[in-house]
Amino acid sequence: MTVHAQAPTSPDQTFLRRAWAEAKLGHYSATLQALAPYQPNNNDQIDLLRATCLAATGRIKEAASLFCALASKALTEQHPLHMLADLLIPQERRHDLLPVCRAALKLTPQDARLYDLLGDILLQLGQYDAGIENLRHSVTLRPDNSTSLNLLAMALYERGKSDEALALLNNTLTTTPDHAGTLSNIGCILSGLGRLQEALTFYNKAIHLYPDHAQIRLNHSIALLKAGRYAQGWREHEWRLQLPGHTSLPPTTLMPTLSHSTGPQANLHGKRILITQEEGLGDTLMYLRYIEPLAQRGAITHLWVPQTLGALCRRVRGAAFVQVGGSVPEFDWHCPFISLPRVFSATSYGMGAAVPYLKASARKVKAFAKLVPQNGKLNVGLVWGGAPRPNTVGPHMTDRKRSMPLATLAPLAKLAGLNLISLQKGPYAHDSATPPAGMTLLDPTPHLHTLDDTAALLMSIDVLVSVDTSCVHLAGGLGRPVILLDRFDNCWRWLHGTPNSPWYPTLRIIRQTEPRQWGPVIAQLCQALTAMAHHKKDRTHAAN
């Protein structure tokens, strides 16, 4: 960046935009050098950027002093340290936020906003009790502040203290009954507890107050889907497209809803439909079931997917074109994978094509079968962790609840008649190197480079045991037996209070009855696997 020869009193907006862009790329030292000509305390925008870069480069005291000076000018607004958090969290630098927050607290110990931010960061780092302690202190400093009260309530819920969280939020409503955020958070907690009708009531109140709030509408859709109210839920789920990061294509290109009618909107014959990856791999694997019925309508389907899904998608019935990488192709209509259920919700294909709608490569199935023991024991595939996504907030917090260390599965080592086979990829795979005492864990994952490879291996495994990951959807779409170890406040697609799924007939769910408590889940799993091992042994003896 160019350094000005003389210090201008007012920075050029183009310069500021470029400077922030450089900071977002992590070029903090270079940005500080470019800011050198501007004197401190002359311009709040420059001072905010300077404080951010000072903190990111370890000059904690200088940064804290600047942040506090800026905060004192806007006591009713969000603390400027949030800007630092917005930059460092995507760079996976949460720990670097702590010393800056604490230095700022030494300078302004009565600023509740700092306790809110510090408490939130500690929660994201898994330090729940310390996080809650800071949030409680914030509430003592400003007992009637809705922001602090809601942060504390949701932290208590994350800690498993749902009754206290609900009591706090309901008490908040006595003074601010029309606070849409509080109403929505009550709905979120009730939905997590499976009290779905109550949750929907609170969401409806929040929507009445704030009908265009995309995040509230999206949360409402999740409660509807979890309650099995699919038609309304899918319509409401389109609000996600109003939030950043879901699609960059213009909304005017979105595919219309289909119906039994023969009207012009239902005529897709010869139309090229671009179907795009949107969020996790599990979503795409789940909604590939809609490609065949879309092709049956005469559509030319063009799937745009990540490399790991390319080969698998090319064998999906009805997939005319499968694109990996590259630029946006020509198309008539665009439909993100997650919008496909909405498109078909008023048709006879509301649940898509029947399982199995995925197919493994016959050549790979034969090759990967050699990696699986043929000793008469039950071959059990294991996946104990999902994608941590530490550069995000929501998905990262969810992963803390859905994933487990391999040590949690230690009781499986004591069961007879099992071959335990790791299918774990990603950061959690390092547990495979040091399995629990007595556990023999086969690890063929060095041979698994894409989900097409994993699909082939699954065809030789008797049952997949997994937390809520894309592998569950892969096995389910292939029609393979799956046992899902599910968290307490589970994803909407697994409904509530049921051990099976309308999406995957070969899936069995064993769910936590208390937040973060895997012990009873693993006990039930051991019983299920023991019964399956005995059944396989009996069938083997009968065949001989």
Side-chain angles (χ1 to χ4, degrees):
M1 295 177 64
T2 303
V3 177
H4 295 280
Q6 295 182 348
T9 56
S10 180
D12 178 80
Q13 289 302 312
T14 301
F15 169 83
L16 277 173
R17 284 194 297 270
R18 185 178 174 189
W20 277 114
E22 291 291 321
K24 289 177 181 177
L25 292 172
H27 303 159
Y28 298 112
S29 296
T31 304
L32 272 177
Q33 183 180 0
L35 295 175
Y38 296 92
Q39 295 299 314
N41 303 315
N42 282 341
N43 185 285
D44 288 352
Q45 294 183 71
I46 288 291
D47 283 350
L48 178 58
L49 181 54
R50 180 181 281 113
T52 299
C53 293
L54 286 169
T57 53
R59 295 163 66 177
I60 303 303
K61 289 185 178 180
E62 295 173 78
S65 179
L66 262 180
F67 276 125
C68 290
L70 289 166
S72 68
K73 299 178 183 180
L75 294 174
T76 61
E77 297 178 13
Q78 190 179 60
H79 198 284
L81 255 170
H82 278 275
M83 182 62 74
L84 179 64
D86 290 342
L87 281 178
L88 294 190
I89 288 173
Q91 296 170 13
E92 301 178 26
R93 294 182 59 184
R94 284 179 178 83
H95 283 285
D96 293 335
L97 289 165
L98 300 181
V100 192
C101 289
R102 287 168 175 149
L105 275 172
K106 287 183 179 180
L107 297 173
T108 54
Q110 298 304 308
D111 194 334
R113 297 172 296 173
L114 285 169
Y115 290 101
D116 284 344
L117 179 58
L118 179 58
D120 194 28
I121 298 302
L122 288 167
L123 285 169
Q124 294 178 39
L125 290 169
Q127 299 178 39
Y128 299 103
D129 293 335
I132 289 171
E133 180 183 353
N134 277 276
L135 293 171
R136 287 193 192 279
H137 191 70
S138 173
V139 170
T140 64
L141 291 172
R142 48 178 190 179
D144 296 324
N145 185 272
S146 296
T147 298
S148 296
L149 288 164
N150 274 268
L151 281 170
L152 174 57
M154 298 312 290
L156 290 168
Y157 174 59
E158 286 289 328
R159 194 71 178 103
K161 299 181 178 182
S162 8
D163 289 343
E164 186 179 353
L166 285 172
L168 182 61
L169 290 175
N170 280 305
N171 186 59
T172 302
L173 286 180
T174 61
T175 55
T176 53
D178 293 339
H179 191 271
T182 301
L183 291 165
S184 178
N185 282 335
I186 293 174
C188 177
I189 293 174
L190 291 171
S191 178
L193 295 173
R195 295 161 59 179
L196 297 170
Q197 191 52 55
E198 294 175 76
L200 292 172
T201 298
F202 278 93
Y203 277 128
N204 286 331
K205 290 178 181 178
I207 290 168
H208 177 74
L209 294 167
Y210 205 157
D212 295 327
H213 195 294
Q215 189 61 60
I216 292 176
R217 299 298 293 259
L218 177 58
N219 293 347
H220 177 227
S221 77
I222 292 169
L224 287 166
L225 293 171
K226 192 171 182 179
R229 294 169 58 173
Y230 292 128
Q232 184 183 358
W234 293 128
R235 288 195 303 272
E236 193 79 343
H237 208 59
E238 294 296 282
W239 278 90
R240 76 192 188 281
L241 299 176
Q242 304 299 318
L243 297 169
H246 285 276
T247 179
S248 58
L249 295 173
T252 53
T253 67
L254 286 174
M255 183 180 173
T257 301
L258 300 176
S259 69
H260 292 292
S261 72
T262 56
Q265 285 193 339
N267 183 12
L268 297 179
H269 189 76
K271 301 293 185 182
R272 183 178 289 262
I273 313 299
L274 177 63
I275 305 155
T276 54
Q277 168 86 7
E278 186 178 345
E279 292 186 2
L281 294 173
D283 292 297
T284 298
L285 289 166
M286 179 174 176
Y287 302 134
L288 281 167
R289 67 184 69 225
Y290 291 100
I291 302 305
E292 183 181 6
L294 194 57
Q296 289 174 350
R297 288 277 186 144
I300 301 170
T301 60
H302 188 124
L303 283 59
W304 195 4
V305 296
Q307 175 68 41
T308 189
L309 288 174
L312 190 69
C313 287
R314 292 186 181 97
R315 283 192 301 278
V316 171
R317 290 186 295 271
F321 297 93
V322 176
Q323 176 180 339
V324 172
S327 56
V328 179
E330 292 185 3
F331 62 91
D332 296 298
W333 294 106
H334 164 236
C335 188
F337 272 100
I338 298 175
S339 289
L340 284 170
R342 175 193 63 86
V343 168
F344 281 94
S345 64
T347 75
S348 57
Y349 282 100
M351 302 295 287
V355 172
Y357 56 87
L358 300 178
K359 185 178 180 181
S361 159
R363 176 184 61 81
K364 287 185 178 181
V365 169
K366 184 176 180 181
F368 282 108
K370 299 174 183 177
L371 302 175
V372 177
Q374 303 297 326
N375 54 10
K377 295 182 179 181
L378 188 76
N379 289 318
V380 181
L382 297 179
V383 178
W384 54 89
R389 302 186 196 181
N391 61 332
T392 61
V393 177
H396 185 58
M397 297 292 283
T398 297
D399 184 67
R400 287 186 178 278
K401 293 184 283 187
R402 69 162 172 177
S403 297
M404 63 176 74
L406 176 59
T408 308
L409 295 172
L412 272 59
K414 300 177 182 179
L415 302 183
L418 305 184
N419 296 313
L420 300 178
I421 304 167
S422 172
L423 276 72
Q424 181 66 53
K425 301 285 280 186
Y428 290 95
H430 73 272
D431 286 359
S432 300
T434 54
M439 178 181 285
T440 299
L441 185 66
L442 303 177
D443 188 4
T445 57
H447 300 276
L448 306 180
H449 304 293
T450 67
L451 285 177
D452 195 50
D453 296 335
T454 305
L457 184 64
L458 282 168
M459 300 306 293
S460 295
I461 284 177
D462 294 307
V463 60
L464 171 70
V465 173
S466 176
V467 296
D468 189 0
T469 67
S470 59
C471 209
V472 169
H473 298 280
L474 179 60
L478 290 165
R480 303 300 298 159
V482 191
I483 297 178
L484 167 63
L485 308 180
D486 204 13
R487 67 181 192 269
F488 177 77
D489 54 341
N490 60 299
C491 176
W492 64 264
R493 72 197 76 220
W494 312 127
L495 301 176
H496 175 75
T498 174
N500 44 42
S501 166
W503 299 99
Y504 302 114
T506 58
L507 174 70
R508 174 182 174 181
I509 302 169
I510 306 177
R511 184 172 294 125
Q512 291 176 345
T513 55
E514 294 181 41
R516 304 179 189 276
Q517 298 301 310
W518 287 113
V521 173
I522 304 306
Q524 289 186 57
L525 172 65
C526 288
Q527 294 176 1
L529 292 179
T530 298
M532 294 177 74
H534 286 160
H535 182 62
K536 181 172 184 177
K537 183 178 180 181
D538 291 343
R539 283 190 292 116
T540 302
H541 286 167
N544 294 332

